[in-house]
Amino acid sequence: MSVDEARRLAPRFAARAAEHDRAGAFPVDDFADLRRSGLFGLMVPTRLGGAGAGFAQYAAVAYELARGNGATALIFNMHASVTGALSSVTDELADALGLPPEALAARDRYLRAAAEGSWYAVAMSERGAGSRLSQMTTMYEKTGDGYHIKGAKAFCSGAGHADAYLVAARSSADPTQVSQFLVPPGEGLTVEQTWDSLGMRATGSNDVHVDVTVPEGALLGGVEGLALVIAQLAPHWMVASYAAVYVGVARAAVDAAVEHVNARKLGHLPAVRSRIGRADAAVSAAHLAVMEAARRVDDQPGDAETNRWVWRAKLLAGTTAADVAASMLEAAGTSAMRRGHPLERLYRDARAGSLQPATSDVCADWLGVEALGGDPDSEGTAPRW
Ligand SMILES: Cc1cc2nc3c(=O)[nH]c(=O)nc-3n(C[C@H](O)[C@H](O)[C@H](O)COP(=O)(O)OP(=O)(O)OC[C@H]3O[C@@H](n4cnc5c(N)ncnc54)[C@H](O)[C@@H]3O)c2cc1C
């Protein structure tokens, strides 16, 4: 069972986390473990050799992996997003959207490769545009038998180590059309080592430059302009897939604080005890919200109430992780602030949760507009996507 496998791997990841964090280095050994465990095929349908997991099972796996190392779980999340979104394009949905048969053959090829041990990174965000698809400056144009893509991407977790990159770009013929391509590493795709961040250092989220021509099969879905439609109809991968990761980081902070407090015999102090009690309750509540959103995504994807839960889950996970990690550091005291102490790293990693889109502020705005009776997708102060 994939969740048991993730639980088995988490302590191994935890043992290596400090070193990867210190060096800001991609967790090569963790990814070798993930490959061996077959987890790259988690979201791949069983007919193509994968585990055929739904979103709830993904969330359960991500939570366990993040208890070991949040950065590893975050890079894995990018791969799960690509394979999960591809798998959700069923033959019936493809018929309804009028997708060509070649696109389905390409989908199956990419998914089968994942089940066999390939993993995919996401090169969507850009400096200035963030992950807002409609603002991307990376452009593509149709060539005789494919597409030429040119642009610069930022924050690409696992850059330099992936077997292919999902690249989002706008059409130069019609810039309102945003499409996504799966681009192999090698000529035309270069990684610039720019990532030296406060938290989630081991994600190695470096810049990626593309100036590359890809065959027609690299266009995901086989039809141009699908990216924005999918982001709005099924926001769970882009909005809430990180949520399980940050709740796992928050739980790891509570676990690390308990270990520290017991080792230092601080458990008799009422303030320390109540910090741990409050943190335990907050993490458990955020975890329930994430699992409720995930359950609804599986049962009623795209439903209005499902989408409300998706935005709630991301908001609660991001704020809870930052608040809990800060409180656990205070409960543990200054010795836990030393470089190399798990709480010092977890505090910094947890800090990224609210900043990672959809940011906590954006989630709160979306939910507020919705609660006030507006249309939260179109009534943001800036384009949501
Ligand atoms: C650890 C980590 C790993 C990442 N990995 C990847 C990856 O693998 N691939 C990838 O493509 N990206 C990745 N990202 C990037 C991420 O998805 C964002 O694109 C990026 O963080 C955006 O940064 P930004 O500086 O443009 O800030 P923005 O998100 O643009 O935020 C700047 C400010 O504007 C506010 N804001 C943003 N949008 C709106 C809005 N619509 N309305 C109102 N206010 C708004 C925010 O709340 C914030 O205060 C990663 C990010 C992190 C932190």
Side-chain angles (χ1 to χ4, degrees), residues 146-223:
Y147 300 89
H148 181 246
I149 315 165
K150 192 167 183 334
K153 298 292 182 180
F155 311 109
C156 178
S157 296
H161 298 269
D163 295 298
Y165 297 77
L166 178 142
V167 175
R170 288 158 74 200
S171 158
S172 26
D174 175 3
T176 62
Q177 303 244 312
V178 189
S179 303
Q180 291 169 328
F181 301 86
L182 209 54
V183 178
E187 210 177 324
L189 187 145
T190 49
V191 175
E192 188 188 352
Q193 302 290 328
T194 49
W195 185 250
D196 183 7
S197 64
L198 173 77
M200 291 294 184
R201 293 174 53 76
T203 56
S205 302
N206 287 299
D207 283 27
V208 168
H209 300 270
V210 279
D211 187 353
V212 70
T213 301
V214 291
E216 275 175 352
L219 171 67
L220 295 179
V223 174

Side-chain angles (χ1 to χ4, degrees), residues 252-263:
V254 179
D255 294 344
V258 167
E259 198 176 326
H260 178 99
V261 162
N262 279 335

